[in-house]
Amino acid sequence: VWKDNQTLLEVAEAAFRGIFSYGWYLNHQTETWIDFYLNEPFQDSSVWTDDLKKLILGGSSSAWGELL
């Protein structure tokens, strides 16, 4: 899931497994390692049950670039 935390929750609620990458794009020049470290997929802990959390396999970082 690259879009946002709400989409990650919707994926889990639909009983699909997911990998989270929102907020971990390495080409965002304004973010520091602290921003990446503090990016928490389960921000709203009141809606994330243990069963939903088990469906999230982990996170992934990405970097995008263009060549001319």
Side-chain angles (χ1 to χ4, degrees):
V1 173
W2 57 269
K3 191 173 178 185
D4 55 27
N5 293 54
Q6 180 60 38
T7 304
L8 182 69
L9 178 61
E10 291 169 8
V11 166
E13 288 176 334
F16 289 105
R17 288 185 239 158
I19 296 173
F20 191 58
S21 65
Y22 174 75
W24 290 321
Y25 283 88
L26 302 177
N27 58 314
H28 289 179
Q29 300 293 324
T30 59
E31 295 177 352
T32 67
W33 69 269
I34 297 169
D35 298 314
F36 296 120
Y37 183 80
L38 295 176
N39 183 21
E40 175 56 53
F42 309 126
Q43 288 178 0
D44 188 356
S45 60
S46 65
V47 296
W48 282 97
T49 65
D50 288 340
D51 288 335
L52 289 176
K53 288 178 182 179
K54 288 177 185 176
L55 292 170
I56 306 307
L57 303 175
S60 171
S61 62
S62 301
W64 298 91
E66 298 177 5
L67 297 174
L68 299 174

